[in-house]
Amino acid sequence: MTNASSTTDTAMAAGAEGAAQAAGAASTEFDLHVANASDVADEEGVLVRLDHAKKSFGKTEVLKDISLSVHTGEVVGIIGPSGGGKSTLLRCMTLLETLDSGTLAYGNLTVAKDRNGKSEYGNKDVLRKAKARFGLVFQNFNLFPHMTAFQNICDAPINVQRRDKAQVEKQARALIKGIGLEGKEDLVPCQLSGGQQQRVAIARALCMNPDVLFFDEPTSALDPELTREVLRVIRALADQHMTMVIVTHEMSFARDVADKIIFMDGGVIVEQGPSEQVINNPQHERTRAFLTQYGN
């Protein structure tokens, strides 16, 4: 049975979001600490490096010798058909899955080395340091349902990073203002629209002060009207040179925001290059065939 109160709250939240969009209410004043990212990059300015990565599930090879790098301040868009390996790649880069073989490094921190064709991961301290360097925004928000928006944003910085509570709360309020949700701090997720929940999820990731942000189809669960506001926030982050890796099906957004596009299919990188070149003038026939589905 549908909870009438929750349905009404969600409808009201969606209406309020539309009004905020019409009024241009969202600020772009984010406290990102982006300048610190260069301190942990390697000597080439690379924040994330993956070399000859392979991953199989049973007999199915999902990633086949993937190599890529993400530089400080760079926005990388990953596109491709479903089942092409995009999500598995992202899960391996964010340590939700382990590589079978290949190396993974976060700037000057080597997370996994390849030894005799098998990935050997660092100890708990290495993994802890690596996880502190990135943030991950999921498709379906993954907010704690019993916590308010403000509590969702503050929880990990206070209880996991053990940072000063007053400083975290100050940063959280600035982020809430930046994402255009002032006045929504004390609402729980069911009282927020999908777009608002995703913006809270972005603020939650940012409050951890990551060097790089990963997005896994951040708008796939949203309708077009709510999608626009989430994309506006991501665009603002790109304008402030936040390093980001974005798996997306929003082709025009990827072209306009990403510095580099990677097209994946069949577990391999088919093509990569500057975003306008890959989207507007792809060199590989498989890339062209894929993009024709999106009117490119």
Side-chain angles (χ1 to χ4, degrees), residues 4-277:
S5 176
S6 296
T7 302
T8 301
D9 287 338
T10 302
M12 291 174 65
E17 180 167 14
Q21 290 174 3
S27 162
T28 58
E29 295 299 321
F30 297 100
D31 183 11
L32 301 179
H33 301 268
V34 175
N36 294 334
S38 60
D39 296 337
V40 298
D42 69 12
E43 64 277 3
E44 297 178 6
V46 175
L47 273 181
V48 189
R49 187 187 300 275
L50 197 64
D51 287 319
H52 302 295
K54 295 182 180 181
K55 178 66 177 178
S56 296
F57 295 104
K59 295 182 179 180
T60 303
E61 192 175 13
V62 181
L63 299 180
K64 307 172 183 178
D65 199 17
I66 298 288
S67 295
L68 61 86
S69 60
V70 182
H71 288 76
T72 303
E74 186 176 42
V75 180
V76 177
I78 302 178
I79 64 173
S82 298
K86 305 186 303 299
S87 291
T88 299
L89 173 63
L90 205 68
R91 289 179 65 83
C92 288
M93 294 175 74
T94 56
L95 307 179
L96 295 174
E97 298 283 355
T98 56
L99 297 170
D100 295 333
S101 63
T103 64
L104 172 63
Y106 272 90
N108 54 18
L109 179 68
T110 299
V111 181
K113 298 179 180 179
D114 190 282
R115 294 190 184 278
N116 301 317
K118 184 176 181 179
S119 294
E120 183 178 288
Y121 281 78
N123 59 29
K124 290 182 179 180
D125 186 56
V126 168
L127 296 179
R128 178 185 57 79
K129 290 178 180 178
K131 290 176 181 178
R133 295 192 179 188
F134 64 81
L136 175 59
V137 179
F138 298 90
Q139 296 181 34
N140 295 314
F141 328 134
N142 283 21
L143 299 177
F144 294 112
H146 62 290
M147 290 185 179
T148 66
F150 187 72
Q151 290 169 335
N152 265 284
I153 295 170
C154 293
D155 180 64
I158 293 173
N159 296 310
V160 177
Q161 294 182 327
R162 303 296 181 184
R163 286 162 50 199
D164 178 75
K165 182 178 180 181
Q167 291 182 351
V168 170
E169 290 183 345
K170 180 180 179 180
Q171 182 180 3
R173 294 190 191 284
L175 287 167
I176 286 171
K177 179 180 179 181
I179 61 174
L181 289 181
E182 280 187 297
K184 309 289 186 186
E185 297 94 330
D186 297 327
L187 299 183
V188 294
C190 70
Q191 295 174 307
L192 299 170
S193 71
Q196 290 170 335
Q197 290 185 60
Q198 191 62 295
R199 282 187 277 159
V200 171
I202 293 171
R204 177 180 61 181
L206 289 171
C207 204
M208 299 287 284
N209 297 332
D211 299 312
V212 57
L213 264 184
F214 292 91
F215 293 85
D216 185 11
E217 296 284 3
T219 62
S220 65
L222 306 177
D223 64 37
E225 184 175 359
L226 302 183
T227 290
R228 283 194 295 272
E229 189 56 32
V230 172
L231 294 182
R232 185 207 64 79
V233 171
I234 298 174
R235 189 184 300 273
L237 296 174
D239 290 342
Q240 295 179 54
H241 308 293
M242 182 73 202
T243 308
M244 293 184 283
V245 177
I246 308 171
V247 172
T248 183
H249 280 106
E250 300 283 345
M251 296 302 140
S252 60
F253 174 76
R255 178 191 59 212
D256 295 342
V257 173
D259 300 297
K260 178 171 67 181
I261 293 288
I262 293 173
F263 172 66
M264 287 188 66
D265 188 26
V268 301
I269 295 177
V270 176
E271 182 170 349
Q272 64 178 307
S275 57
E276 286 197 11
Q277 180 258 298

